[in-house]
Amino acid sequence: MQAKKRYLILLSAGACLVLLFYLGGVQLPAASRSRHDRSRNGYRSDQPWPHFSDPLHLFLPWDQTDTEEYNLHISPRQKRDVNTSVYKGKRCRMDSCFDFSLCHKNGFKVYVYPQQKGEKISESYQNILSTIEGSRFYTSDPGQACLFVLSLDTLDRDQLSPQYVHNLKTKVQNLPLWNDGRNHLIFNLYSGTWPDYTEDLGFDIGQAMLAKASISTENFRPNFDVSIPLFSKEHPRTGGERGYLKYNSIPPFRKYMLVFKGKRYLTGIGSDTRNALHHVHNAEDVVLLTTCKHGKDWQKHKDARCDKDNAEYDKYDYKEMLHNSTFCLVPRGRRLGSFRFLEALQAACVPVMLSNGWELPFSEIIDWNTAAVIGDERLLLQIPTTVRSIHQDKILSLRQQTQFLWEAYFSSVEKIVLTTLEIIQDRVLEHGSRSSLMWNSHPGGLFALPQYSGYLGDFPFYYATLGIKPYPKFTAVIHAVSPLVSQSQPILKLLVAVAKSQYCAQIIVLWNCDKPLPAKHRWPATSVPVIVIEGENKVMSSRFLPYETIVTDAVLSLDEDTVLSTTEVDFAFTVWQSFPERIVGYPARSHFWDSNKERWGYTSKWTNDYSMVLTGAAIYHRYYHHLYTNYLPTSLKSMVDQLANCEDILMNFLVSAVTKLPPIKVTQKKQYKETMMGQSSRASRWADPDHFAQRQTCMNKFASWFGAMPLVHSQMRLDPVLFKDQVSILRKKYRDIERL
């Protein structure tokens, strides 16, 4: 009986084994596939089952590289080279392919290889290199560098392009600092060529990071590569145009609900989605136009719809559609990315993405769900219904976020490059990296420097979001440039008046005079501490250094000859508490465009219009000292120091560039004027005939660096309640202001 049981068990086991082999549940070693073949088809050994929250991969019947058309054009050796260059270093991450020790000594510095003689460089790549060389990250010493950027043009790696650089593989390998690409960053806009448009760059990138447009989620290495937007050669190097949203219309609907106008590809990769757009087009509020009239031999390949599509295509103006549509369709082209993406962002037309598998630009830091609609190519027919179902409040929010993202990160080559570098710096200096709120809310990550503080409440931009208020005291910083020779000098009267303010925590006298510091008994006795600091190198920019002795959020910046009463100081600080991100003060100036000279002009005429509040009597947040010192280039600060002029203009440029808002002028005080002091004093700059001309020059130099004019005009003046009203003076809180 026992023998019979053993026989039945063996027979059952044998039958099960045969069945398993038959169904393919167990593979023989000879039949197993290579890991590489499986990775090409989207399989990953560490993820055997799909996760529906993962980004969608390109929906194709089979792998594009296995089609007969592909095999006709690519030799086996070329296919092997493609596979090697695309997938070698696939597992690279910051902790495995980046040497952090290079960054510890000198911080995050970027070295650009010197341009080699005879090498051609496209205008776009030259703009990228110029941006890096003009940034605060740049170093000309490779020994101090944390990151290296090639001078060889890697932007266009399409072999059919006139910008294609030949023999790049050999040239890169011969670079003395290449080190298999370690700590290198490679910029690329176009990769691959007809008919496959693979993501191959034509050379082995080794362990280098990629800042690449149109990169797929399959080839994107998270927290190592950076996805950048596709931009044209006409994209401005600096500045860039503002977004087109001038005001918020309620409800936020426009003439068209959904639009697109672009090429249609009759064959090859990227043709499926655009070929199907005519099914959704209704010529009313959904206008999706395509043309097959492009390329030299388009007529040889045209289909039955071409003539009709071309006729419909010519009826509509693209810019008119763009500016009058609520949503803009952004389907993939030959590559995953498209110029339509940036065009839609600038036009405040909410992008509707139809490019499965595209790693969206700066996806590491930007929450695209707040600014775009992420669609699926396979569900094209559902797109109109989907966008119609979005509530008008959400549409308004999406549209506003497109404008913020455009102006913060995409409006110029400079912003795209600096955002890329800041992302990498955050990885290197992980303990001081920006939060998601910093990247996705005003003023953006480029102006919120984490080196200042890791706490959002220390920045003036996030008080409302966090539900907090700035510290209710200020630190006065008086800029002294004249020797103390008399007890009746304006600086001593000013010091006493400021010290009497109920909001004053301390007074700092910045001694930028050539004469020695006065004895302690020369300063008047006050109820608050008075700290005298000798200015660093006696230069103008030293008044905006981030001194550790400034412990309050607010800084009251004063010239030594300013005449202010205690009441005026109190009122200005009260106003600033409601506008902590702006400059609030008294002496106002303005700028204008001189059409005859085709340059910016500076005026001190007393009018209702102004765009600057001079820092001779103004309150602002101490964070701007940090930003002035660490964000602005040395060239601008050196110019200010050499001229001993324009530091107040530069601070106004900086704050307006950050806030996109004008300063705030408080109650007009006609008695305020620049005091003409003796010619022996350094303060006599106001009497210098060259002083005004220098300020004109500064205006244009600063505007050139910022790429545009950041100053914003205003006619608003804030007065105390009941100011000049015909009521009893006893009913007024700031009654002394009217007696001036």
Side-chain angles (χ1 to χ4, degrees):
M1 190 67 182
Q2 294 297 328
K4 187 176 181 180
K5 285 184 178 180
R6 284 196 296 269
Y7 174 76
L8 288 174
I9 292 172
L10 288 173
L11 184 62
S12 300
C16 290
L17 198 57
V18 170
L19 185 62
L20 286 172
F21 281 126
Y22 178 76
L23 295 177
V26 176
Q27 292 183 348
L28 294 172
S32 63
R33 297 181 181 180
S34 68
R35 293 178 64 186
H36 168 67
D37 289 336
R38 290 185 288 181
S39 67
R40 282 169 49 197
N41 289 284
Y43 174 87
R44 292 184 297 178
S45 60
D46 60 335
Q47 185 173 309
W49 293 100
H51 287 255
F52 294 105
S53 61
D54 286 352
L56 293 169
H57 294 287
L58 189 63
F59 184 72
L60 292 174
W62 54 76
D63 196 327
Q64 184 70 33
T65 58
D66 288 337
T67 61
E68 292 181 6
E69 185 182 47
Y70 180 89
N71 292 320
L72 286 174
H73 292 85
I74 304 295
S75 68
R77 180 177 180 182
Q78 287 175 311
K79 288 177 69 176
R80 185 171 63 251
D81 290 343
V82 166
N83 292 337
T84 300
S85 60
V86 172
Y87 291 100
K88 187 175 180 180
K90 179 77 173 177
R91 296 184 179 276
C92 265
R93 298 295 184 268
M94 293 295 290
D95 56 355
S96 60
C97 296
F98 193 89
D99 186 356
F100 287 88
S101 65
L102 298 180
C103 314
H104 292 159
K105 185 177 180 181
N106 300 297
F108 186 74
K109 293 295 182 181
V110 184
Y111 173 76
V112 177
Y113 282 84
Q115 296 186 12
Q116 300 179 15
K117 190 174 182 180
E119 288 292 341
K120 60 180 181 179
I121 296 181
S122 64
E123 182 180 355
S124 295
Y125 197 61
Q126 185 60 62
N127 287 340
I128 289 175
L129 298 184
S130 298
T131 295
I132 297 173
E133 291 170 347
S135 74
R136 67 183 187 279
F137 301 117
Y138 176 70
T139 178
S140 58
D141 181 4
Q144 296 183 354
C146 167
L147 190 67
F148 299 82
V149 176
L150 306 180
S151 62
L152 297 166
D153 192 343
T154 57
L155 280 190
D156 194 339
R157 300 305 298 154
D158 186 338
Q159 296 179 20
L160 301 179
S161 170
Q163 304 292 343
Y164 182 80
V165 177
H166 295 274
N167 302 320
L168 194 57
K169 180 178 180 180
T170 303
K171 294 173 182 177
V172 169
Q173 294 296 334
N174 289 336
L175 293 174
L177 303 172
W178 176 242
N179 190 26
D180 194 32
R182 204 169 180 84
N183 288 52
H184 280 66
L185 177 64
I186 295 173
F187 287 90
N188 176 256
L189 293 181
Y190 307 98
S191 61
T193 189
W194 171 266
D196 316 290
Y197 296 96
T198 66
E199 296 183 33
D200 170 38
L201 300 189
F203 67 98
D204 181 10
I205 66 171
Q207 300 178 45
M209 291 181 284
L210 279 177
K212 188 178 184 337
S214 306
I215 191 169
S216 67
T217 54
E218 184 179 358
N219 290 324
F220 181 76
R221 297 168 292 181
N223 296 314
F224 191 72
D225 294 331
V226 179
S227 177
I228 63 174
L230 184 65
F231 58 87
S232 67
K233 62 181 179 181
E234 289 81 22
H235 206 56
R237 187 178 78 83
T238 60
E241 293 184 23
R242 297 286 297 271
Y244 295 150
L245 184 64
K246 303 302 180 186
Y247 56 88
N248 294 314
S249 57
I250 305 294
F253 301 114
R254 294 175 172 175
K255 179 180 178 181
Y256 304 107
M257 176 59 69
L258 179 67
V259 300
F260 172 75
K261 188 176 184 182
K263 297 177 181 178
R264 177 164 68 89
Y265 306 109
L266 300 174
T267 59
I269 190 170
S271 61
D272 294 346
T273 301
R274 296 196 181 194
N275 275 342
L277 293 182
H278 72 282
H279 293 297
V280 185
H281 169 76
N282 65 14
E284 294 177 359
D285 64 339
V286 177
V287 181
L288 307 179
L289 308 170
T290 59
T291 179
C292 51
K293 192 177 180 180
H294 56 88
K296 296 179 181 178
D297 54 353
W298 68 272
Q299 290 183 326
K300 296 180 182 178
H301 304 285
K302 75 175 186 176
D303 56 19
R305 282 201 351 260
C306 270
D307 292 335
K308 181 181 178 181
D309 285 354
N310 292 342
E312 187 82 353
Y313 186 88
D314 294 334
K315 290 181 183 178
Y316 294 83
D317 178 72
Y318 176 61
K319 285 191 175 180
E320 190 272 336
M321 292 169 59
L322 195 65
H323 297 173
N324 291 282
S325 180
T326 305
F327 296 93
C328 284
L329 198 67
V330 184
R332 65 160 296 157
R334 291 299 193 193
R335 299 175 178 89
L336 294 172
S338 167
F339 292 132
R340 299 292 180 268
F341 179 69
L342 290 187
E343 292 168 354
L345 278 183
Q346 183 180 14
C349 185
V350 180
V352 179
M353 313 305 302
L354 276 187
S355 185
N356 292 4
W358 181 24
E359 188 72 26
L360 294 180
F362 303 139
S363 55
E364 184 176 336
I365 59 166
I366 295 177
D367 180 5
W368 282 110
N369 290 318
T370 63
V373 178
I374 314 299
D376 187 330
E377 292 180 70
R378 298 167 294 185
L379 304 176
L380 172 63
L381 299 181
Q382 296 181 18
I383 293 297
T385 306
T386 300
V387 297
R388 291 184 202 280
S389 68
I390 299 176
H391 194 272
Q392 63 183 28
D393 292 347
K394 178 65 174 177
I395 292 174
L396 183 61
S397 174
L398 290 168
R399 184 178 293 165
Q400 290 172 337
Q401 192 68 356
T402 64
Q403 299 302 274
F404 160 67
L405 294 176
W406 164 258
E407 293 180 7
Y409 307 121
F410 298 108
S411 62
S412 67
V413 175
E414 178 185 53
K415 288 179 181 176
I416 293 172
V417 173
L418 291 180
T419 303
T420 302
L421 296 181
E422 293 282 7
I423 289 172
I424 298 173
Q425 181 185 223
D426 273 10
R427 298 172 188 165
V428 173
L429 308 174
E430 191 173 353
H431 62 282
S433 60
R434 298 164 179 81
S435 66
S436 178
L437 179 63
M438 285 181 169
W439 285 113
N440 290 280
S441 63
H442 185 79
L446 297 186
F447 286 124
L449 304 185
Q451 293 81 6
Y452 171 71
S453 175
Y455 174 51
L456 291 176
D458 288 336
F459 294 85
F461 322 114
Y462 311 114
Y463 289 142
T465 303
L466 299 175
I468 62 176
K469 294 182 179 180
Y471 185 70
K473 297 277 186 178
F474 67 79
T475 296
V477 178
I478 303 176
H479 187 225
V481 294
S482 304
L484 199 60
V485 294
S486 168
Q487 291 299 309
S488 61
Q489 282 183 226
I491 187 174
L492 300 180
K493 296 179 180 179
L494 176 64
L495 196 149
V496 171
V498 171
K500 289 180 180 179
S501 170
Q502 59 181 312
Y503 303 113
C504 183
Q506 61 179 352
I507 298 175
I508 296 174
V509 177
L510 181 62
W511 191 256
N512 265 353
C513 179
D514 294 330
K515 302 295 183 180
L517 285 172
K520 210 170 186 180
H521 70 273
R522 300 289 301 277
W523 301 104
T526 60
S527 58
V528 298
V530 176
I531 304 169
V532 182
I533 299 176
E534 194 150 11
E536 186 176 313
N537 301 322
K538 309 290 186 181
V539 293
M540 295 301 293
S541 292
S542 63
R543 72 183 301 177
F544 297 136
L545 287 174
Y547 295 104
E548 292 183 0
T549 47
I550 301 177
V551 294
T552 59
D553 293 326
V555 175
L556 172 61
S557 177
L558 298 165
D559 284 342
E560 61 177 11
D561 54 349
T562 299
V563 179
L564 283 179
S565 68
T566 304
T567 304
E568 288 175 299
V569 172
D570 285 349
F571 177 64
F573 180 72
T574 302
V575 171
W576 177 85
Q577 287 181 300
S578 298
F579 305 93
E581 76 281 10
R582 302 209 221 175
I583 297 178
V584 175
Y586 287 95
R589 298 291 182 267
S590 188
H591 75 284
F592 64 93
W593 177 254
D594 190 333
S595 56
N596 294 324
K597 297 181 180 179
E598 294 189 342
R599 58 179 302 194
W600 293 106
Y602 170 88
T603 178
S604 58
K605 289 183 180 179
W606 199 280
T607 66
N608 291 330
D609 190 272
Y610 67 94
S611 58
M612 291 174 279
V613 167
L614 304 187
T615 54
I619 302 176
Y620 51 81
H621 198 280
R622 65 172 175 169
Y623 174 63
Y624 292 120
H625 277 206
H626 181 85
L627 210 56
Y628 185 100
T629 303
N630 297 287
Y631 177 81
L632 294 175
T634 304
S635 59
L636 294 188
K637 291 180 287 187
S638 297
M639 178 184 180
V640 164
D641 295 339
Q642 289 170 6
L643 295 175
N645 195 355
C646 304
E647 81 288 350
D648 46 0
I649 297 178
L650 184 54
M651 178 60 88
N652 273 270
F653 266 68
L654 176 62
V655 176
S656 291
V658 173
T659 62
K660 307 290 190 298
L661 295 169
I664 292 178
K665 178 175 172 56
V666 290
T667 305
Q668 195 155 353
K669 181 185 176 185
K670 293 188 176 181
Q671 288 86 347
Y672 184 92
K673 58 183 179 180
E674 293 98 358
T675 306
M676 297 293 186
M677 300 188 72
Q679 293 294 321
S680 61
S681 168
R682 288 183 62 183
S684 63
R685 58 188 180 130
W686 296 107
D688 187 350
D690 293 332
H691 176 77
F692 193 80
Q694 288 174 351
R695 292 173 83 79
Q696 300 269 20
T697 303
C698 289
M699 292 278 293
N700 290 276
K701 182 72 173 179
F702 298 161
S704 175
W705 185 83
F706 279 93
M709 172 53 73
L711 298 178
V712 182
H713 285 281
S714 176
Q715 293 185 345
M716 182 179 75
R717 190 188 79 200
L718 296 185
D719 299 339
V721 175
L722 302 179
F723 180 70
K724 296 293 186 184
D725 284 1
Q726 299 300 316
V727 297
S728 170
I729 195 74
L730 298 177
R731 297 177 60 186
K732 301 181 180 183
K733 181 177 181 180
Y734 300 101
R735 61 192 68 161
D736 291 343
I737 291 181
E738 294 191 26
R739 295 171 180 166
L740 298 172

